[in-house]
């Protein structure tokens, strides 16, 4: 038995935790560089604000005047996520942090009423980690995730939905669209829709074999999970990672190659760290850069996708990325955004064996990268870095309405009036 | 290299087998507990309780309310320190200035104060 606990409008709730003036107000949190809406409170949703709306357009709509916007503060959100995890760990035997705002709980073999337990967990997370949540319970991860969505959708409800009873599931599933289901991409939902399969009830009525023919083995697993047969254990899920991206809009337009090179090197460093954290190797990458789409600057956008010798080595990847960026670079434009995407990701076991033409000593590269990650893990990000990453960082993010890092910086802690 | 009172070059240190680490104040405060939030005091209204402007207080959101203790409260949009007063089954919050207020939706006990750090005495 699983539960999924999920923070309501998590980023907004982190902001509210330290500022009573934000109570009951419509709040949004903006993406890096204050670009788009990435989190909304219920009050903001009720005003018609959509996820992903560019804020510079939305903020001009008169009905959105009362909306308070915040720059994203991942230092704060990361620490609040840690608090949520710690509270849950102190009350349940196994917690899996699935994302910054969602944790799976292993409810297998726990005594007592699971709904009552969930109510207690919610209350503790609200009181101690300051985050309001919803909980979904189900015999499989996919059902727990779906139960959580139903709990979120029912605003008058108790915040807990239990889908462990199969009769109750059948009752509800006639009204649940397939787009609500974990791991169902837009393409799969469209494919099913064409066949007249719109709801979860329709979907689970299909024979398992035809689901596999239609949606491959991942879809077949989702199908089994929705029928109550667990395919994913703790720390497992439907999607495998297909790419790792690090892309940003610049705080101000970049006009010099030197700055672009530093930005690309820095993004590649970040992506390569992520690659190694997942013990993966990249066999291809994409580099892109472009000017602002919205203003009157002369337009230029270009990208290059190319294969690299499968590697997880920061220096190899930086070399390839900056080389490609140099070929894309056209002097005289004002660049607003750039990024790199690592593609064709391998597990170690799937690597082509004994590459005769390898130009790097894999053993040496690996021990260098292990040392690099250990130093940066211990002494802080970018303590040791490639010199190409640079030292100036004039291109770093714009964050106009950033809240304090209340919980991690002594100069930023909450001020209380005696 | 660091010397802890044990490894000497000439005469063997009699303290060799008795070395203990320095006192670890961060371990004592244990700020990794998920309910602990350090906060900074402004204002001198609570000097009578030994709480001065500039003090760092360790607020514990996991602690239960106790009569007479100081807490961090959200009071009508302000973040203040208040003393807890019990009235029957209900809690009142007594700010350093103004009347005691019953705990409601708008008047919230945020965390109990459990420790104080003062870097300049």
């Amino acid at each position: 038995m699983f539960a999924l606990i999920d923070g309501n409008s998590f980023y907004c709730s982190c902001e509210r935790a330290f500022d009573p003036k934000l109570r009951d107000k419509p709040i949004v949190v903006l993406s890096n560089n204050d670009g788009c809406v990435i989190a909304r409170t219920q009050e903001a949703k009720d005003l018609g604000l959509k996820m992903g709306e560019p804020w510079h357009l939305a903020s001009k709509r008169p009905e959105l005047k009362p909306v308070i916007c915040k720059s994203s503060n991942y230092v704060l959100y990361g620490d609040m996520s840690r608090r949520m995890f710690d509270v849950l760990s102190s009350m349940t035997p196994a917690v899996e942090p699935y994302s910054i705002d969602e944790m799976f709980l292993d409810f297998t073999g726990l005594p007592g009423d699971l709904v009552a337990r969930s109510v207690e967990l919610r209350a503790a997370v609200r009181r101690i980690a300051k985050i309001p949540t919803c909980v979904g319970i189900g015999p499989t991860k996919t059902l727990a995730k779906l139960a959580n969505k139903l709990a979120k959708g029912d605003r008058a409800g108790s915040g807990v939905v239990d889908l462990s009873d199969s009769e109750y599931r059948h009752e509800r599933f006639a009204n649940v669209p397939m787009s609500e289901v974990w791991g169902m991409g837009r393409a799969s939902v469209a494919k099913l829709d064409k066949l007249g399969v719109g709801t979860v009830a329709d979907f689970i009525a299909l024979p398992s074999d035809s689901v596999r023919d239609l949606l491959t083995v991942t879809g077949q697993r989702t199908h089994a999970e929705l029928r109550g047969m667990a395919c994913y254990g703790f720390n497992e899920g439907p999607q495998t990672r297909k790419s790792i991206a690090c892309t940003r809009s610049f705080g101000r337009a970049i006009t010099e190659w030197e700055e672009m090179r530093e930005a690309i090197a820095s993004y590649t460093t970040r992506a390569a760290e992520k690659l190694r954290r997942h013990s993966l190797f990249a066999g291809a990458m994409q580099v892109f850069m472009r000017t602002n789409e919205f203003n009157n600057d002369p337009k230029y956008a270009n990208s290059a996708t190319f294969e690299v010798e499968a590697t997880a080595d920061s220096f190899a990847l930086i070399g390839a990325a900056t080389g490609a960026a140099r070929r894309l670079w056209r002097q005289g434009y004002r660049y607003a955004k750039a990024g790199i995407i690592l593609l064709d990701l391998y597990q170690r076991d799937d690597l082509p064996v004994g590459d005769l033409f390898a130009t790097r000593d894999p053993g040496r590269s690996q021990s260098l990268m292990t040392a690099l990650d250990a130093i940066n893990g211990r002494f802080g990000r970018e303590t040791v870095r490639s010199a190409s990453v640079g030292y100036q960082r004039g291109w770093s993010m714009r964050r106009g309405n950033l809240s304090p890092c209340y919980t991690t910086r002594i100069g930023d802690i909450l001020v209380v009036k005696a | 290299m660091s010397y802890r009172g044990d490894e000497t070059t000439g005469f063997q240190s009699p303290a060799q087998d008795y070395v203990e680490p320095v006192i670890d104040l961060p371990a004592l405060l244990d700020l990794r507990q998920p309910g602990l939030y350090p906060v900074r005091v402004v204002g001198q209204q609570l000097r009578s309780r030994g709480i001065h402007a500039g003090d760092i207080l360790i607020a514990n959101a996991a602690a239960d309310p106790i009569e007479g203790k100081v807490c961090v409260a959200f009071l009508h949009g302000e973040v203040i320190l208040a003393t807890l007063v019990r009235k029957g089954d209900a809690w009142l919050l007594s700010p350093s200035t103004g009347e005691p207020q019953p705990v409601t939706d708008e008047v919230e006990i945020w965390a109990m104060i459990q420790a104080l750090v003062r870097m300049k005495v």
Side-chain angles (χ1 to χ4, degrees):
Chain A
M1 194 63 67
F2 295 97
L4 183 86
I5 184 165
D6 168 307
N8 303 344
S9 319
F10 182 75
Y11 299 165
C12 298
S13 295
C14 292
E15 300 286 345
R16 265 185 184 157
F18 299 91
D19 187 351
K21 290 198 168 67
L22 298 180
R23 204 197 140 80
D24 300 330
K25 296 268 163 50
I27 310 167
V28 295
V29 171
L30 305 179
S31 58
N32 281 338
N33 229 12
D34 293 350
C36 301
V37 173
I38 53 167
R40 306 161 294 165
T41 61
Q42 190 59 51
E43 294 84 354
K45 290 175 197 173
D46 292 346
L47 289 173
L49 243 171
K50 296 278 177 303
M51 204 66 167
E53 273 196 74
W55 180 245
H56 72 104
L57 297 177
S59 58
K60 293 195 180 100
R61 278 157 55 190
E63 75 274 18
L64 298 181
K65 196 111 209 193
V67 176
I68 300 167
C69 86
K70 291 278 174 186
S71 306
S72 40
N73 182 347
Y74 291 111
V75 174
L76 179 66
Y77 309 154
D79 188 58
M80 297 309 278
S81 177
R82 189 267 306 174
R83 288 173 193 265
M84 184 168 151
F85 178 87
D86 284 352
V87 172
L88 295 168
S89 297
S90 70
M91 298 173 73
T92 44
V95 185
E96 174 196 338
Y98 176 68
S99 70
I100 195 165
D101 60 347
E102 302 164 280
M103 325 243 157
F104 279 109
L105 311 172
D106 190 353
F107 270 11
T108 312
L110 293 188
D113 180 34
L114 296 180
V115 172
R117 184 181 285 268
S118 303
V119 169
E120 269 174 44
L121 287 167
R122 275 189 86 209
V125 171
R126 176 76 187 87
R127 188 165 65 101
I128 300 171
K130 305 294 179 194
I131 304 293
T133 57
C134 285
V135 183
I137 304 169
T140 69
K141 278 185 152 180
T142 305
L143 285 171
K145 196 101 162 64
L146 193 56
N148 177 274
K149 279 222 168 171
L150 297 178
K152 262 193 175 168
D154 182 10
R155 285 162 68 182
S158 66
V160 181
V161 166
D162 180 1
L163 287 180
S164 55
D165 181 71
S166 66
E167 270 179 38
Y168 178 63
R169 283 207 295 274
H170 284 225
E171 217 173 276
R172 304 266 334 223
F173 281 177
N175 300 314
V176 181
M178 277 309 288
S179 54
E180 298 280 289
V181 174
W182 188 35
M184 275 288 133
R186 215 175 295 171
S188 305
V189 172
K191 227 188 244 179
L192 290 169
D193 208 50
K194 264 193 205 139
L195 299 172
V197 178
T199 67
V200 178
D202 299 338
F203 184 64
I204 57 178
L206 294 175
S208 177
D209 288 343
S210 60
V211 172
R212 191 186 49 214
D213 294 344
L214 203 62
L215 303 175
T216 76
V217 71
T218 312
Q220 192 183 25
R221 288 202 185 116
T222 300
H223 183 256
E225 286 239 321
L226 286 171
R227 285 178 163 188
M229 285 164 285
C231 300
Y232 303 118
F234 223 53
N235 295 312
E236 291 170 357
Q239 309 98 329
T240 50
R241 208 174 254 288
K242 297 212 174 68
S243 67
I244 291 176
C246 187
T247 74
R248 300 270 193 284
S249 298
F250 302 125
R252 58 169 172 75
I254 281 186
T255 54
E256 295 304 318
W257 161 245
E258 198 53 31
E259 286 188 306
M260 178 61 82
R261 189 177 60 83
E262 286 183 6
I264 291 288
S266 172
Y267 300 160
T268 310
T269 304
R270 196 60 53 78
E273 278 170 7
K274 215 186 267 178
L275 189 69
R276 293 196 292 275
R277 220 166 29 242
H278 294 280
S279 309
L280 295 170
F281 295 79
M285 72 193 303
Q286 183 182 71
V287 178
F288 75 90
M289 59 184 72
R290 63 172 168 75
T291 53
N292 191 322
E293 293 172 290
F294 302 111
N295 66 12
N296 295 323
D297 286 351
K299 303 278 176 281
Y300 173 71
N302 205 349
S303 72
T305 307
F306 50 93
E307 291 188 352
V308 296
E309 209 173 272
T311 185
D313 185 302
S314 290
F315 300 117
L317 291 168
I318 289 172
T322 53
R326 185 71 193 92
R327 288 186 287 280
L328 297 176
W329 176 263
R330 300 286 177 275
Q331 189 68 36
Y333 289 100
R334 295 166 50 76
Y335 293 89
K337 186 171 184 175
I340 75 115
I341 304 167
L342 299 178
L343 305 160
D344 197 11
L345 307 185
Y346 299 89
Q347 310 276 358
R348 169 179 297 282
D349 296 342
D350 304 335
L351 278 179
V353 279
D355 191 345
L356 199 57
F357 304 103
T359 50
R360 250 163 220 273
D361 176 343
R364 275 192 58 185
S365 160
Q366 199 194 343
S367 40
L368 177 61
M369 289 304 121
T370 306
L372 192 70
D373 290 339
I375 293 169
N376 289 337
R378 173 142 180 222
F379 297 106
R381 213 171 230 183
E382 302 198 335
T383 303
V384 178
R385 59 179 190 247
S386 164
S388 55
V389 168
Y391 302 93
Q392 294 295 327
R393 306 289 193 99
W395 43 268
S396 191
M397 277 198 286
R398 176 175 60 215
R399 293 193 287 191
N401 208 358
L402 185 64
S403 51
C405 297
Y406 291 108
T407 60
T408 51
R409 296 188 191 162
I410 191 67
D412 281 9
I413 61 178
L414 185 66
V415 171
V416 298
K417 210 168 132 285
Chain B
M1 121 175 191
S2 74
Y3 171 65
R4 302 182 306 160
D6 49 355
E7 304 276 334
T8 43
T9 58
F11 293 103
Q12 190 184 341
S13 169
Q16 198 165 41
D17 297 333
Y18 299 90
V19 169
E20 292 187 357
V22 295
I23 290 166
D24 189 349
L25 281 180
L28 215 59
L29 290 173
D30 192 16
L31 290 180
R32 273 206 61 92
Q33 283 180 52
L36 295 189
Y37 300 86
V39 300
R40 175 88 60 185
V41 180
V42 293
Q44 297 283 21
Q45 299 291 330
L46 279 174
R47 278 188 81 95
S48 58
R49 298 289 304 259
I51 295 172
H52 298 188
D55 284 353
I56 297 166
L57 303 177
I58 309 303
N60 187 353
D64 291 324
I66 292 175
E67 166 101 63
K69 289 256 187 190
V70 176
C71 71
V72 176
F74 282 4
L75 193 135
H76 304 302
E78 301 294 318
V79 186
I80 62 154
L81 289 171
T83 307
L84 278 171
V85 181
R86 182 137 209 167
K87 194 176 169 192
D89 279 343
W91 288 103
L92 299 183
L93 286 172
S94 176
S96 44
T97 52
E99 289 300 301
Q101 312 239 1
V103 171
T104 62
D105 263 10
E106 295 273 293
V107 180
E108 179 194 340
I109 301 172
W110 193 79
M112 301 300 299
I113 298 303
Q114 70 168 37
L116 183 152
V117 179
R118 184 173 299 150
M119 299 301 289
K120 268 188 198 154
V121 176

